Amino acid sequence: MTTYRNNSRKTLLLALSAAAVAGSLAVAGPVGGARAVEGGGGGGLKWEPCAQAGGPAGQECAELAVPLDYGKPGGRQLTLAVSRVRSEDPEARRGTLLFIPGGPGGSGVQALTRKGNALREELDGAFDIVSFDPRGVGGSTTASCGLDADDRYVATLRSWPGAEGQIGENVARSRRTAEACDENGGAVLRSFTSANEVRDIERFRQALGEEKLSAWGSSYGTYIGAVYAQKYPQRTDRWVLDSSGDPDPTRVERGWMANTSRAVEDRFPDFAAWAAAPDRDEEGLRLAERAEDVRPLFIALAAELDRAPKESTTEGNPLTGGMLRQAFLNGLYSDSVFPQLARLVQAAEDPAAKPVLSPDLAQPLRDEDASVTIAVICNDVRWPASVGGYARATKEDRARYPLTAGMPRNVLPCAFWKNDPAEKPTRITDRGPSNILMIQSLRDPSTPYFGALKMREALGDRARLVTVDQGGHGMYLANGNACGDSKVTAFLTKGERPERDVYCAS
């Protein structure tokens, strides 16, 4: 192990403006630590108690003002909801750890409520733990596209093709969604970008009074974390990227969606093996005698539901093939959801049963939640506009990866978005401090391993990768791998980072 210690190597002094673009810095050997600056600890924020049942005692919340437009820092301000759980051991405290939520659209404040106790126990007083709701999310300033409820279900926001692969309905929905966002979202919606989230984090760091931040970014949060580390390398201490995507600027967002096809194919055998195991007989959840029979069963069932949706326990909301596929796309994140998926399949197969839809399928998203998810992926990068191109890509993907039926390469509102991206995506490079630890499952249904290897390649010697031989999305303190958890904890609390990439067995 190499221990990551404090070092005072001289760096390029950057402007404190969050709109400034940081230079790159090559660093050899150990790099700087992150004690709070004099007077730190969040003096620029008015903290109020906000502990919730089941969450960490002493959780506090505040509001942080950030510019709508960083090009006009003195202009209109938005509000970010921020939260913290303070270290209970001042002597052990190293600094502040930022949890960067996934999404786009994930709430860091809610995540801190859910994860705060586990993090506090694992980190043993080494950090104040903070997070935030990105602009557009939760308690922060939001915007609304004014979408009809039918267009806000997860299984309709994702463009699942028709029974024969047709995309006409997807095109119509995408077009009216883009038009509604343009008409109703305004400048606030246009400000929902990855680049602005990174600038907001830098403003948060300043308000906290910290010279540097440590961070744990999960899922989409790894991209935000990587961009922050690229823009503000001298402001990073111990940096964890958990479940990363391909950071290539030509692959951002649209490429992430396209990668889902192969990712689900890589992950599905884990469910198939579980669903065919003899142990499932005792639980009444066995779907087939052999694992290799589960995949064709699922594909045939989804196709049947495409043609004839089945009445569910949610009145007026039948189970469609797209909804079944969406349930699996969500459920493959964790083995703990496998029983729920098996019951859904059994109910769909049983003529006398009504499938029970999970809440994320049964109810439409809030308009604000749907709007921010759409806005970020459409504001960040330009998407192709050719309907024929999407039809061809969907047909090709549907044939090659039938589990996802062409959805990952189908049309989205971004094809009809009215505003061009305000700036180009950041290119992640190997220039900067060697203070990043990545952790990744081999069979991730959302941010696949082959995409994470692209992040690892881009970061070069700045990073080390912990590969976990299991399935699921989100590894640290989530999927029960003691080896992976211990590597991340040792890095965050002791600065111990593997000298080279390591492998954790299942």
Side-chain angles (χ1 to χ4, degrees), residues 65-357:
V66 297
L68 168 67
D69 180 355
Y70 276 92
K72 301 174 182 177
R76 180 181 175 185
Q77 302 290 297
L78 306 182
T79 298
L80 297 190
V82 300
S83 188
R84 73 176 177 184
V85 178
R86 304 194 75 172
S87 167
E88 296 178 315
D89 187 348
E91 292 299 317
R93 182 183 181 275
R94 175 183 179 82
T96 294
L97 175 78
L98 171 72
F99 175 73
I100 308 175
S107 166
V109 174
Q110 292 181 13
L112 188 56
T113 300
R114 295 193 307 270
K115 300 173 183 288
N117 283 325
L119 271 173
R120 175 180 270 171
E121 181 178 352
E122 195 75 10
L123 299 180
D124 199 22
F127 296 97
D128 292 346
I129 308 163
V130 302
S131 195
F132 64 107
D133 285 351
R135 56 176 72 192
V137 177
S140 297
T141 300
T142 60
S144 171
C145 290
L147 303 178
D148 292 340
D150 286 347
D151 291 340
R152 290 188 270 114
Y153 286 93
V154 173
T156 51
L157 285 169
R158 293 288 180 95
S159 287
W160 296 102
E164 304 302 323
Q166 62 269 36
I167 70 168
E169 185 176 336
N170 307 131
V171 171
R173 178 177 290 111
S174 294
R175 193 185 301 275
R176 67 174 174 263
T177 296
E179 291 172 351
C181 289
D182 180 60
E183 182 177 348
N184 301 313
V188 174
L189 188 82
R190 292 193 294 273
S191 81
F192 296 165
T193 67
S194 295
N196 277 337
E197 183 171 338
V198 169
R199 295 181 180 110
D200 290 345
I201 289 174
E202 174 59 6
R203 182 60 62 93
F204 190 19
R205 179 198 65 78
Q206 295 169 22
L208 288 167
E210 294 287 354
E211 180 182 354
K212 297 188 178 187
L213 292 174
S214 291
W216 168 31
S218 178
S219 191
Y220 168 70
T222 63
Y223 177 68
I224 297 298
V227 173
Y228 184 91
Q230 189 70 34
K231 296 280 191 179
Y232 305 100
Q234 85 291 0
R235 298 303 186 189
T236 62
D237 183 28
R238 296 170 181 170
W239 219 247
V240 175
L241 305 181
D242 181 348
S243 303
S244 301
D246 184 347
D248 185 329
T250 65
R251 299 287 298 166
V252 170
E253 272 122 354
R254 188 164 64 94
W256 298 341
M257 284 291 295
N259 283 349
T260 306
S261 303
R262 180 177 156 193
V264 170
E265 293 282 355
D266 289 345
R267 170 63 164 151
F268 194 87
D270 290 337
F271 172 76
W274 178 91
D279 289 350
R280 302 291 86 76
D281 280 330
E282 296 180 9
E283 303 162 1
L285 296 176
R286 195 173 188 185
L287 299 183
E289 294 293 319
R290 303 181 306 165
E292 55 265 36
D293 294 331
V294 176
R295 183 175 182 275
L297 179 156
F298 172 84
I299 292 170
L301 179 60
E304 180 181 338
L305 291 169
D306 280 336
R307 294 186 294 269
K310 185 171 186 180
E311 185 180 357
S312 74
T313 55
T314 304
E315 186 176 354
N317 197 4
L319 178 65
T320 65
M323 291 173 70
L324 179 68
R325 297 182 188 100
Q326 184 64 50
F328 269 77
L329 191 60
N330 297 347
L332 292 176
Y333 276 32
S334 173
D335 291 10
S336 65
V337 187
F338 285 0
Q340 180 180 326
L341 297 178
R343 292 187 189 98
L344 183 63
V345 169
Q346 289 176 330
E349 289 184 308
D350 184 353
K354 286 186 178 182
V356 177
L357 303 182

Side-chain angles (χ1 to χ4, degrees), residues 331-410:
L332 292 176
Y333 276 32
S334 173
D335 291 10
S336 65
V337 187
F338 285 0
Q340 180 180 326
L341 297 178
R343 292 187 189 98
L344 183 63
V345 169
Q346 289 176 330
E349 289 184 308
D350 184 353
K354 286 186 178 182
V356 177
L357 303 182
S358 58
D360 57 322
L361 295 177
Q363 301 296 329
L365 296 176
R366 290 194 320 152
D367 189 69
E368 294 85 352
D369 295 336
S371 298
V372 67
T373 300
I374 295 165
V376 173
I377 65 173
C378 297
N379 286 334
D380 271 3
V381 293
R382 184 191 298 275
W383 291 59
S386 169
V387 171
Y390 285 107
R392 289 188 294 273
T394 300
K395 181 178 180 180
E396 175 187 305
D397 207 56
R398 184 179 177 89
R400 187 174 184 183
Y401 301 111
L403 288 174
T404 47
M407 180 278 294
R409 296 183 65 189
N410 199 358

